[in-house]
Amino acid sequence: VVRDGACEIIDFKTDAVAEAEVERPCEKYRTQMQQYARAVERLWRMPVSPCWLVFLSRKKLVQMDLAPLAKTT
């Protein structure tokens, strides 16, 4: 999604996770989301912010913090 001069990444997940365990899968997908962000930045030449995980089984939307994302050109 492109909004306000930046690309938002929304990734839908079908993992069956308990409400209290939603943060653990977020860490599991951190590297994947960082790779998506790098690819989008290179292809679209736009910053990525924010990134979202949507856990369909929990009907839960979680914003990912990709602060450690190092820009590469």
Side-chain angles (χ1 to χ4, degrees):
V1 177
V2 177
R3 186 185 322 200
D4 298 326
C7 294
E8 292 185 31
I9 297 174
I10 305 168
D11 192 4
F12 293 85
K13 299 298 183 189
T14 58
D15 299 29
V17 295
E19 181 70 26
E21 297 178 353
V22 169
E23 295 305 317
R24 189 169 45 205
C26 288
E27 289 305 312
K28 172 180 162 183
Y29 293 116
R30 181 171 303 285
T31 301
Q32 179 183 25
M33 296 298 281
Q34 287 173 330
Q35 291 172 346
Y36 288 169
R38 281 189 194 103
V40 168
E41 285 176 343
R42 287 180 183 164
L43 291 171
W44 287 62
R45 299 184 189 273
M46 295 176 75
V48 171
S49 180
C51 293
W52 303 92
L53 291 177
V54 179
F55 291 95
L56 297 174
S57 66
R58 298 296 328 154
K59 297 179 183 172
K60 178 96 174 171
L61 176 68
V62 179
Q63 185 173 353
M64 293 291 297
D65 176 17
L66 300 182
L69 179 62
K71 282 202 165 197
T72 57
T73 38

